[in-house]
Amino acid sequence: MEQVCLRRIHNENSQDIESYMAHDGYAALRKALTEMTPSAVHDEVRAANMGGRGGAGFPTAMKWNFLVGARGEPKYVLCNFDESEPGTFSNRVIGEEDPHLLVEGCLLAAYATGCSIIFIYIRGEYFLAYERVKHAIEQAYERGLIGKNILGTDFSVELYLRRGAGAYIVGEETAIMNSLEGKRGYPRARPPFPANEGLFGKPTLINNVETLSNLSDIVLNGGERWSNLGVNEGSGLNVYCVSGHVERPGVYELPMGTTARELIYEHAGGVWQGRTLKAWKPGGASSAILPADMIDLVLDFKPVQAAGTILGTAGVIVMDDHSCVVDAAIRDATFFEEESCGFCFPCRDGTRVLRMLVERVRHGVAAPDTIDLIEHASTDMMGASFCGLGQFAPWPVVSTVRNFRQEYDAHIIEKVCPAGVCPMDGTEPNEHVDRRTLQEMLVAQKGGVLA
Ligand SMILES: Cc1cc2nc3c(=O)[nH]c(=O)nc-3n(C[C@H](O)[C@H](O)[C@H](O)COP(=O)(O)O)c2cc1C
């Protein structure tokens, strides 16, 4: 099966420039700089019809358009290598095993959009990827592939690698810019959009590692060919990460539009230990959970959205029939509570309230109106949170309620965990949450005072 991002990862010394160049490495850069204008590179990306791989699927060529028309110098490329979404590790594999692919992609994006400074911002916990990308940058500088007059042309660009401290929020495109500027990693209001006023107030293109890593193939072999690699109306290839209860968890680069059934059963070896599928998620922890009977869903941005969830990072998480959805919800709720940056309180308080409510369900002490409270808090968080973290954080909880209502009823009304996973010990969590706690949160959110 054809591969682009993972094509070289099993080669000997795949992270080294010699190995990379022996397998077409930097041929796309040479072609772009010596045979193509920046707008010709842009045309190929347009023909590829690629949706960004950072989560939202925003059309890459359209995002590049904004940069081309933006005023201000210098212009920056910012490569988002934060990758903190649980269940997602495709960027890490590229950074560790084929860092030159990413470096070349960054250079192509800079050339096409007229940027002269590139930052790669990498997640703090990615130690090996950091070392390998750093080494790749040094090697590319030594070979004259980064710096002044690259390959003897007029094109010059500098590339800097910066390390985060390991916070989920700085994957958000405006928070990452604040972090890079030495400020606290809080999100910024938009507008102004990064393409007009981004890093240090200058036009900035923000793309994901996988998005950028597809560019060398698109430039070398043509955007249309890349687009045609997809199936079921999908464009190109996609690196799906599979984790959870499967025989062969890992990264699988497959056509965009592959069904979940094919990914899970044919490539990832099916549900482990001969068990049956209970539920799965298409786009990492923050995506809504789906029941087993939606296994034939086509994995592409639009069909997944039509099914009430998101493809996001294509981090597919599989749960077998021994799992409990309430137990799954508490893990995600705890993660998002810990990762909320606290900048806006619908997210800061909402993630806490949701975690506390699910905690009570797990212990068999939830009040009968708990499901209403979860729905209420989730709806408010989705509508009122400042950035995507708070807007998506309720989904792991509220989608388990909506798609597995009978399990919540068993925990709340019958006081049993059907899977036998939750403690159900009747202990009251130390923290208190009731309708008044929630009302206080909602009233404060509207700027009012609770009578
Ligand atoms: C809370 C939050 C975390 C995010 N984390 C990442 C991340 O780790 N990596 C990433 O590429 N995009 C992340 N995104 C999406 C980015 O804001 C942005 O849309 C993306 O980097 C754009 O790249 P693309 O156009 O290549 O998809 C995150 C968004 C939110 C709301």
Side-chain angles (χ1 to χ4, degrees), residues 103-429:
V103 170
E104 187 175 10
C106 290
L107 294 168
L108 288 167
Y111 178 66
T113 55
C115 295
S116 57
I117 299 179
I118 301 167
F119 280 100
I120 298 178
Y121 183 99
I122 188 163
R123 172 182 171 170
E125 295 98 331
Y126 276 4
F127 300 107
L128 182 60
Y130 172 79
E131 290 303 331
R132 292 198 168 162
V133 174
K134 184 166 164 268
H135 186 57
I137 294 168
E138 285 161 2
Q139 286 188 320
Y141 262 111
E142 280 163 20
R143 299 284 183 116
L145 296 163
I146 312 175
K148 294 212 181 323
N149 301 109
I150 297 171
L151 297 170
T153 66
D154 288 343
F155 179 57
S156 301
V157 73
E158 302 296 335
L159 197 165
Y160 304 101
L161 179 62
R162 291 288 181 268
R163 195 177 210 166
Y168 180 74
I169 184 61
V170 294
E172 197 278 333
E173 62 184 24
T174 58
I176 201 172
M177 297 188 308
N178 273 348
S179 173
L180 262 174
E181 290 177 10
K183 300 173 188 154
R184 195 164 184 165
Y186 281 156
R188 298 179 186 173
R190 283 173 300 186
F193 289 95
N196 295 314
E197 249 180 73
L199 198 54
F200 304 110
K202 301 295 180 190
T204 304
L205 170 71
I206 302 187
N207 274 139
N208 166 263
V209 169
E210 190 184 329
T211 308
L212 294 164
S213 297
N214 277 295
L215 296 179
S216 62
D217 185 86
I218 290 170
V219 170
L220 204 54
N221 302 313
E224 201 179 324
R225 189 204 79 104
W226 187 89
S227 179
N228 289 334
L229 295 173
V231 295
N232 294 321
E233 297 178 26
S235 246
L237 300 179
N238 194 19
V239 183
Y240 301 96
C241 311
V242 188
S243 63
H245 301 156
V246 287
E247 290 289 349
R248 291 193 297 272
V251 282
Y252 296 93
E253 186 171 26
L254 299 170
M256 182 63 105
T258 300
T259 64
R261 182 188 295 278
E262 187 185 332
L263 175 66
I264 294 171
Y265 285 96
E266 289 180 30
H267 298 278
V271 182
W272 68 356
Q273 300 172 11
R275 296 185 189 164
T276 51
L277 181 69
K278 175 170 184 169
W280 61 286
K281 284 179 173 230
S286 62
S287 61
I289 198 166
L290 293 172
D293 62 10
M294 295 195 70
I295 190 70
D296 288 308
L297 188 64
V298 161
L299 297 175
D300 192 354
F301 298 107
K302 280 189 185 153
V304 173
Q305 208 173 343
T309 180
I310 49 165
L311 184 64
T313 55
V316 175
I317 302 169
V318 176
M319 290 168 58
D320 71 16
D321 55 349
H322 289 214
S323 317
C324 171
V325 292
V326 177
D327 182 60
I330 196 73
R331 284 155 206 272
D332 294 336
T334 307
F335 173 81
F336 287 111
E337 182 190 9
E338 285 174 1
E339 292 296 336
S340 172
C341 73
F343 172 67
C344 76
F345 78 84
C347 174
R348 182 189 63 218
D349 293 352
T351 50
R352 184 175 63 96
V353 165
L354 282 182
R355 198 260 309 144
M356 288 159 77
L357 288 168
V358 181
E359 198 69 83
R360 295 174 68 83
V361 176
R362 277 179 81 231
H363 286 277
V365 292
D369 67 351
T370 298
I371 287 185
D372 291 346
L373 294 175
I374 289 176
E375 283 282 357
H376 201 161
S378 298
T379 309
D380 269 68
M381 280 177 71
M382 289 173 201
S385 293
F386 187 76
C387 86
L389 197 159
Q391 289 155 16
F392 282 102
W395 281 110
V397 174
V398 79
S399 63
T400 52
V401 170
R402 289 178 189 166
N403 289 328
F404 295 89
R405 174 70 192 244
Q406 70 288 7
E407 286 209 27
Y408 274 81
D409 287 344
H411 284 76
I412 297 169
I413 301 162
E414 297 157 39
K415 307 286 181 206
V416 289
C417 170
V421 172
C422 294
M424 303 303 288
D425 51 11
T427 57
E428 290 277 346

